[in-house]
Amino acid sequence: MQNLIEQLLESEGLTRKLSTDLALYEYSSTGKTNYWLVIHGEPIITPEIQAGWLSKCKNATADPALEKNINLLIVWNTDSSKVLASKRVHHIEEDSYFFKKHVLPYTTEEFEALRQQIDTQGFATVFRESITTPNTFTEYKSNYLEGGWQSLLYRLAIKLPFIAVNSSGNSDLASLERNIREKIQRTANPSVLVATDSAIDSLANQIASPNVQPEDLLTFIDEKLSEAGYESDR
């Protein structure tokens, strides 16, 4: 798994800082530099451990903004897919001290299955094309509780948001949008869903900001629903 993570980061243009023994990567996009520290193992992260990691990272670069723009990816090989949505994972990711945290749990079976797909189809095909195919998503839903290579593939794309995937063609997107609209109109209260869909659709510009927080997005949705005449339960 360590080699796969390294290959993914390098394929997306991240460069490793060789001035430290930690797996610290630098990523520049739209004039902004972000950093990713990759740790493999069970997520045991005390304040002392995190302070030590951050100190080493700061010593590896002269960038004074590192402390505000550093992500921590914890790659955790676990023996059960049940841990994927565990409270432990959520608790760690909600802790914003020292790093913006991302926990990537995976089972050996998931990794071996994904590795086989990469060996068969090729790295670029799996991460640029297979990830967006309907067949991959259908198989993911069928094996949701058991996990699988599809689940790990999606998990990687979520935890590493800079991964570039090929988007669907315009005709596919138009067809998908029509189907969604038709299903919304067949519901008991379509106007609420239309307002919600519009609010979510307008999040694009908000998400583009590197400093946006999840609670900011929820507040933004509430404001949009309020403008449409609806109140949320938050």
Side-chain angles (χ1 to χ4, degrees):
M1 187 62 162
Q2 185 169 346
N3 291 337
L4 176 58
I5 295 295
E6 290 177 359
Q7 186 176 5
L8 269 172
L9 297 178
E10 292 173 358
S11 71
E12 298 299 337
L14 280 78
T15 56
R16 182 166 181 173
K17 307 293 289 186
L18 300 178
S19 53
T20 175
D21 58 344
L22 294 176
L24 176 64
Y25 291 82
E26 181 178 320
Y27 177 64
S28 297
S29 176
T30 62
K32 183 178 179 62
T33 299
N34 287 288
Y35 297 88
W36 285 78
L37 173 63
V38 182
I39 299 294
H40 292 264
E42 186 177 355
I44 302 175
I45 49 172
T46 64
E48 293 76 18
I49 290 175
Q50 294 186 74
W53 288 340
L54 184 59
S55 178
K56 282 189 173 182
C57 291
K58 291 168 68 175
N59 290 334
T61 176
D63 185 357
L66 174 139
E67 192 167 354
K68 295 182 179 180
N69 300 301
I70 186 165
N71 298 268
L72 172 63
L73 174 66
I74 304 173
V75 186
W76 181 16
N77 185 197
T78 177
D79 59 358
S80 172
S81 59
K82 293 181 180 179
V83 78
L84 306 183
S86 70
K87 291 183 178 179
R88 183 179 180 187
V89 170
H90 291 306
H91 177 72
I92 293 170
E93 292 188 328
E94 289 173 357
D95 175 17
S96 60
Y97 289 103
F98 296 102
F99 302 91
K100 300 172 187 175
K101 300 177 182 66
H102 313 264
V103 182
L104 175 64
Y106 72 96
T107 65
T108 299
E109 292 75 15
E110 286 178 327
F111 170 67
E112 290 178 347
L114 179 59
R115 184 80 260 177
Q116 184 176 8
Q117 291 296 320
I118 294 172
D119 291 342
T120 302
Q121 300 185 51
F123 177 86
T125 299
V126 170
F127 284 97
R128 300 288 186 267
E129 300 176 15
S130 296
I131 195 170
T132 60
T133 62
N135 185 56
T136 299
F137 185 66
T138 299
E139 292 181 10
Y140 159 73
K141 290 192 296 182
S142 300
N143 301 289
Y144 177 75
L145 295 178
E146 295 78 20
W149 70 266
Q150 300 92 346
S151 178
L152 178 55
L153 179 62
Y154 291 141
R155 216 174 301 137
L156 282 162
I158 292 171
K159 301 300 181 179
L160 302 174
F162 48 77
I163 292 179
V165 298
N166 292 340
S167 60
S168 303
N170 291 335
S171 59
D172 293 337
L173 292 176
S175 176
L176 176 61
E177 184 173 358
R178 282 196 302 273
N179 289 336
I180 291 174
R181 294 292 180 183
E182 289 173 1
K183 290 182 178 180
I184 286 177
Q185 293 303 320
R186 291 198 294 268
T187 63
N189 198 344
S191 59
V192 176
L193 291 178
V194 169
T196 303
D197 178 64
S198 177
I200 293 174
D201 187 55
S202 63
L203 286 178
N205 292 332
Q206 302 293 320
I207 295 175
S209 171
N211 299 317
V212 69
Q213 298 296 316
E215 54 268 25
D216 298 331
L217 298 180
L218 291 174
T219 300
F220 181 78
I221 290 178
D222 285 345
E223 292 174 352
K224 288 297 181 181
L225 289 176
S226 180
E227 291 174 6
Y230 301 99
E231 297 295 333
S232 73
D233 295 329
R234 288 207 311 131

